[in-house]
Amino acid sequence: MQELLSAVETAASESKISKSAAGHIRSWLTEDRYAPYREEVAKHIREQQWQKLDDVFWTIIPFGTGGRRGRMYPIGSNAINDRTIGESAQGLANYVVDYAKRQGRSDALSCAIAYDTRHQSRHFTELCAGIMVAAGIKVYLLDDYRATPQLSFAVRHKNCDCGIMVTASHNPPSDNAVKVYWSSGAQVLPPHDKAIIEQVMSCQEIKAVPFAEALADGRVEVVTDEIDNAFLDAAAAQAFAGPRDAKILYSPLHGVGAAAVMPLLERDGFQSVEVYGPHEEKSGDFPNVPGHVSNPENKAVFDKPIEYAQSKELDLILATDPDCDRLGVAAPKTTDSTGQWGTFDGNQIGSLLADYVLSKREAAGTLSADHYVVKTLVTSELIRRIAEDYGVRCVGDLLVGFKYIAEVIDREGPDQFVFGTEESHGYLVGQYARDKDGAVACMLMSELAAELKAQGKSLHTRLADLHQKHGYHKEALINLVMEGSEGMAAMQRLMKAFRETPPKSLAGIAVKQIRDYGSQTKLDVASGEKSALSGPEGDLIILDLDEEGNYVAARPSGTEPKIKLYVFTRVSPEDSQDLDAAGQTIVKRLEGIESDMRAFAKDNC
């Protein structure tokens, strides 16, 4: 042991590993709670795998307010493995038990668990289930690959105290994660989130009952069929009447979506729906998507499906990410499906669906001034303008994360909730879940496409109509990847620069104001004066330009080592009647803003 510790100290002194990594390695070598991993850590040291050791030990992988996500590796405080997943489940279990005691409850506690097609998802599911059972919490298990919204639904349907979804959503094949849900069916919110994090970070002993034993004696109960049927009933109840003549191609992107999407579309009356063969295999390697990244936000995943759809003269392509909570869409630019096709970004899909749902509700006479739609601060303001045009409210002053949309639904009242959306391709209607649902979004988009086809229009034409009415809106996302300990420091420097020395102009337009949701202040750039900012508190900065509807938001990602820059541009309705000219103006502006933002980042990292 002394030789191993000395080798670690020497490696740190020679800068082969960081000091923080050395400290965490020492803990894993000497503390009893890490005893099962000691030999593997020692093996890495003897083989002098210093770069790998630094990668997996330089920090403690954060348990954020939604869960824990990262690259899988058998050892390491900065990796997804049995220890970090086990700590996460144990911390949740401890908090649920303690919370119930403080509430004076004596009834049985329960947790719903589901998992996707990723590597080790089933293994981590059994580990989490065993930990919950050991803590006296019954587990309701979806015992097959299932969608994240089905987990949210299951928590509510079974009146569970919490839920766990084992998935890393659209991350690369190397990653996995746990998403943690509260009894509402939403990912955990204050005050529970910080309290759970404290339990996770202080976890010493992980206690687990063998999964097979818990399954045999009923402490783990399989509810797959029950949840499938109830979820399908609840989602199908959100359908609107109308045409159903649309030929649809659906891609689950090697994930779980077909089990939810296909029966829902069939229930809604769509008779011509085909699963895209090359993406049908349930595989954590995501073999047939570009870069092996199953993200419907990535236009490239549609390239091959579009070629197929053109050859078959189909009307619509839908794609959901591996855990089926996000939707991507492609459609012909005109009514000629053999011609040019185009994809839609998350804001455009959200705008189309918001308008569709509101128009249907208006026609049915079920809208009032008390009804509302919900979006986040980094989601297009076109959603707000559409909502207000229908005479309903838009609650849009929210941090990133669908859990905040869920919180609004319960705070403002689910009976008045119409539609919720976030720019990262997440959508929800109804009261059956408290998380975004790719399946119900597929259903609504299919209905809209069929309705437009019956009118001799395309989805792209409908979006153009919205732009002419409300102004041409176009958004872009810039990802500044900053990995490792040096990347974390660079991210902090850049966020500090946005706050203290922001750029004076972007694309030739003056930066008028800085909204800092971290310090809850607004900075008038010209005068240097600060004032109070009303809104949620979080690490988000918005740079407002001196032209209405044009701004940039910056925030560190909560799941990946990057800063995300959200760019929002708009041309007024008066200047949007010529959409080609408006589009050229927007493209030039977006290019200018991206160039200036990347230069600013380079100078301040």
Side-chain angles (χ1 to χ4, degrees):
M1 177 59 65
Q2 191 55 50
E3 289 179 2
L4 293 170
L5 292 171
S6 295
V8 171
E9 292 303 315
T10 300
S13 67
E14 295 175 353
S15 298
K16 294 179 180 177
I17 56 174
S18 61
K19 291 181 179 180
S20 59
H24 294 134
I25 293 170
R26 281 195 298 270
S27 296
W28 281 56
L29 285 172
T30 60
E31 295 180 20
D32 289 344
R33 56 178 166 166
Y34 301 119
Y37 311 94
R38 191 170 294 150
E39 184 51 44
E40 188 65 26
V41 176
K43 180 175 180 288
H44 278 66
I45 294 171
R46 295 188 187 104
E47 294 175 355
Q48 298 188 37
Q49 296 188 51
W50 301 119
Q51 184 59 58
K52 175 55 70 175
L53 285 167
D54 193 59
D55 289 344
V56 301
F57 278 108
W58 75 269
T59 189
I60 297 175
I61 191 169
F63 186 97
T65 53
R68 222 169 195 177
R69 185 185 302 194
R71 292 181 182 177
M72 289 179 283
Y73 202 70
I75 58 171
S77 56
N78 186 42
I80 292 294
N81 47 53
D82 282 8
R83 178 66 203 186
T84 54
I85 291 291
E87 289 172 347
S88 303
Q90 189 70 63
L92 174 62
N94 292 345
Y95 179 74
V96 168
V97 171
D98 290 347
Y99 181 77
K101 288 179 179 177
R102 292 197 305 273
Q103 298 297 308
R105 288 178 51 188
S106 58
D107 55 321
L109 303 175
S110 61
C111 173
I113 302 180
Y115 60 97
D116 72 357
T117 62
R118 286 182 175 274
H119 297 303
Q120 297 201 65
S121 281
R122 174 67 189 203
H123 168 72
F124 290 142
T125 293
E126 293 188 3
L127 173 61
C128 290
I131 291 168
M132 288 292 154
V133 167
I137 301 171
K138 178 165 183 172
V139 170
Y140 293 109
L141 177 67
L142 297 177
D143 193 23
D144 198 354
Y145 302 133
R146 286 298 181 268
T148 289
Q150 289 177 281
L151 184 278
S152 174
F153 174 82
V155 170
R156 297 174 61 81
H157 184 75
K158 301 298 291 184
N159 295 313
C160 294
D161 297 276
C162 62
I164 297 174
M165 182 71 200
V166 182
T167 177
S169 190
H170 56 280
N171 279 38
S174 59
D175 293 8
N176 214 329
V178 287
K179 294 180 180 178
V180 176
Y181 290 76
W182 198 241
S183 56
S184 64
Q187 292 188 45
V188 289
L189 286 156
H192 308 300
D193 53 358
K194 292 183 179 179
I196 292 171
I197 291 170
E198 289 174 3
Q199 290 279 3
V200 171
M201 293 296 101
S202 63
C203 178
Q204 294 291 319
E205 184 179 7
I206 297 172
K207 298 179 181 179
V209 171
F211 177 79
E213 176 186 321
L215 184 63
D217 64 24
R219 287 180 288 177
V220 172
E221 180 181 341
V222 174
V223 294
T224 318
D225 290 343
E226 176 189 347
I227 297 302
D228 280 351
N229 293 330
F231 175 82
L232 181 60
D233 289 343
Q238 311 309 316
F240 295 102
R244 294 295 187 265
D245 178 22
K247 292 179 288 184
I248 301 165
L249 183 65
Y250 167 66
S251 167
L253 296 179
H254 298 293
V256 306
V261 173
M262 294 302 287
L264 182 57
L265 290 182
E266 181 181 359
R267 174 79 72 88
D268 196 29
F270 289 94
Q271 298 180 357
S272 181
V273 185
E274 177 183 354
V275 177
Y276 181 60
H279 294 170
E280 187 171 10
E281 178 191 2
K282 296 178 177 67
S283 171
D285 290 321
F286 314 130
N288 295 322
V289 295
H292 306 291
V293 178
S294 285
N295 188 350
E297 298 177 63
N298 180 10
K299 294 180 180 181
V301 305
F302 288 95
D303 290 346
K304 293 298 183 180
I306 285 174
E307 291 180 10
Y308 180 84
Q310 288 172 319
S311 69
K312 297 292 185 178
E313 298 186 32
L314 305 182
D315 301 310
L316 179 68
I317 301 174
L318 304 169
T320 54
D321 64 340
D323 65 326
C324 193
D325 62 354
R326 300 169 192 252
L327 168 68
V329 178
K333 289 290 186 72
T334 67
T335 54
D336 178 11
S337 58
T338 65
Q340 186 180 6
W341 283 57
T343 60
F344 299 88
D345 64 34
N347 286 303
Q348 293 169 334
I349 296 170
S351 299
L352 287 166
L353 289 180
D355 180 70
Y356 173 69
V357 172
L358 287 164
S359 69
K360 287 293 189 178
R361 293 286 298 268
E362 182 182 61
T366 58
L367 275 185
S368 73
D370 293 329
H371 286 88
Y372 62 93
V373 302
V374 196
K375 75 176 192 70
T376 65
L377 279 161
V378 299
T379 301
S380 176
E381 281 290 280
L382 179 55
I383 307 291
R384 181 187 301 279
R385 293 183 172 96
I386 290 170
E388 291 175 349
D389 188 55
Y390 281 97
V392 304
R393 296 181 293 138
C394 177
V395 182
D397 198 16
L398 306 179
L399 296 176
V400 175
F402 216 89
K403 62 186 178 181
Y404 297 113
I405 295 176
E407 182 180 36
V408 170
I409 294 172
D410 288 322
R411 184 187 74 215
E412 299 289 326
D415 289 341
Q416 283 74 45
F417 170 66
V418 179
F419 180 69
T421 179
E422 61 181 1
E423 56 77 34
S424 55
H425 292 244
Y427 318 99
L428 180 67
V429 293
Q431 303 181 23
Y432 63 95
R434 290 297 185 273
D435 207 352
K436 51 189 178 288
D437 182 5
V440 82
C442 281
M443 181 184 74
L444 294 173
M445 185 57 74
S446 298
E447 291 178 5
L448 173 57
E451 181 171 282
L452 291 171
K453 180 181 179 182
Q455 298 171 2
K457 298 180 179 179
S458 71
L459 286 169
H460 293 276
T461 302
R462 182 62 189 140
L463 182 62
D465 292 342
L466 293 175
H467 282 156
Q468 286 186 320
K469 184 173 185 178
H470 301 289
Y472 195 115
H473 292 67
K474 182 64 177 174
E475 296 78 28
L477 176 62
I478 305 170
N479 289 308
L480 303 177
V481 179
M482 304 176 186
E483 295 184 328
S485 56
E486 293 182 0
M488 179 62 70
M491 289 168 63
Q492 293 171 350
R493 288 194 297 271
L494 181 55
M495 293 301 289
K496 182 179 180 181
F498 280 132
R499 290 184 164 98
E500 297 180 358
T501 57
K504 299 297 184 183
S505 66
L506 295 170
I509 305 173
V511 176
K512 181 180 180 180
Q513 175 181 259
I514 307 296
R515 284 180 274 163
D516 185 352
Y517 288 87
S519 64
Q520 297 282 282
T521 59
K522 291 185 292 185
L523 170 67
D524 184 285
V525 175
S527 67
E529 293 182 1
K530 286 188 177 182
S531 58
L533 173 66
S534 176
E537 184 176 352
D539 197 2
L540 172 68
I541 298 168
I542 296 180
L543 293 73
D544 292 307
L545 305 187
D546 195 15
E547 188 162 330
E548 184 185 359
N550 292 263
Y551 54 99
V552 179
R555 59 174 283 268
S557 171
T559 57
E560 299 170 275
K562 64 176 65 170
I563 283 181
K564 290 188 171 184
L565 303 177
Y566 304 82
V567 184
F568 299 83
T569 59
R570 178 182 183 250
V571 173
S572 69
E574 294 76 20
D575 293 329
S576 297
Q577 299 313 299
D578 185 341
L579 287 176
D580 289 338
Q584 291 174 11
T585 298
I586 290 295
V587 168
K588 183 178 179 181
R589 187 173 297 169
L590 286 171
E591 291 174 347
I593 291 174
E594 177 169 359
S595 176
D596 289 346
M597 290 299 287
R598 288 192 180 278
F600 182 82
K602 183 178 180 181
D603 291 341
N604 289 277
C605 285

